[in-house]
Amino acid sequence: MPLNASTSSPMGRWLSVALSVLLAAVMWLGWGAAPLAAATMPSDGPEVRVVGRLPLQLTAAEQREFEQKTLELAAITRRQDHVTSYSCNGDIEHPGVYVFDEIWPSEAALQAHLETPHFKAWWSWVEPHLAGDLVIGVSPTDAFHVL
């Protein structure tokens, strides 16, 4: 079952805080470590799907900059990190909210991506613009089924 860090319940608030702390720890630990080459990355473990909702407060100029930086991140990620699928879309019902939908060959591949210089540079620009809770769900793709 996909993990949902919605903050509408005490457990959801705890998961939201836990995911934020985990992301911060991964990013902090990665600053001193050389990124793993994606080609040598272990692919053990199941393929994982990530769905993240990113609420941002941006001026029109910042929105254009965010889109450019995110296009660059996506291109580098697809080229270097061996991601299976990687996209970012605007939520048409909630202006200023962006939805990332990613499929990684393993959780290790996802974690290695979070440690790369290109992700860290993107995140350092994005983080000050957060306008609410960052909600991230990570689940093995075999937890999904055809409707």
Side-chain angles (χ1 to χ4, degrees):
M1 171 164 287
L3 172 65
N4 184 347
S6 171
T7 59
S8 61
S9 70
M11 177 60 95
R13 283 190 294 278
W14 179 87
L15 285 172
S16 179
V17 169
L19 285 171
S20 296
V21 169
L22 175 63
L23 180 59
V26 166
M27 291 174 61
W28 179 79
L29 288 172
W31 278 114
L36 295 175
T40 62
M41 187 174 324
S43 62
D44 22 325
E47 182 179 71
V48 294
R49 182 171 210 146
V50 177
V51 177
R53 296 182 53 79
L54 183 67
L56 299 175
Q57 181 68 43
L58 302 169
T59 65
E62 289 169 335
Q63 181 177 356
R64 288 188 297 276
E65 188 174 0
F66 167 77
E67 290 172 1
Q68 183 59 43
K69 288 180 178 297
T70 302
L71 283 169
E72 292 168 6
L73 172 70
I76 295 169
T77 297
R78 290 181 189 124
R79 189 173 55 249
Q80 295 180 7
D81 297 349
H82 294 265
V83 66
T84 305
S85 176
Y86 194 86
S87 69
C88 175
N89 301 282
D91 184 330
I92 62 171
E93 295 182 81
H94 302 97
V97 174
Y98 296 87
V99 180
F100 282 80
D101 188 2
E102 309 168 16
I103 299 176
W104 293 89
S106 67
E107 194 162 349
L110 168 61
Q111 293 303 321
H113 164 68
L114 296 176
E115 296 174 8
T116 61
H118 52 272
F119 177 81
K120 288 179 182 181
W122 176 85
W123 181 249
S124 71
W125 187 91
V126 168
E127 189 175 25
H129 299 284
L130 284 175
D133 293 329
L134 173 63
V135 179
I136 302 171
V138 178
S139 181
T141 55
D142 59 10
F144 295 85
H145 62 278
V146 178
L147 299 177

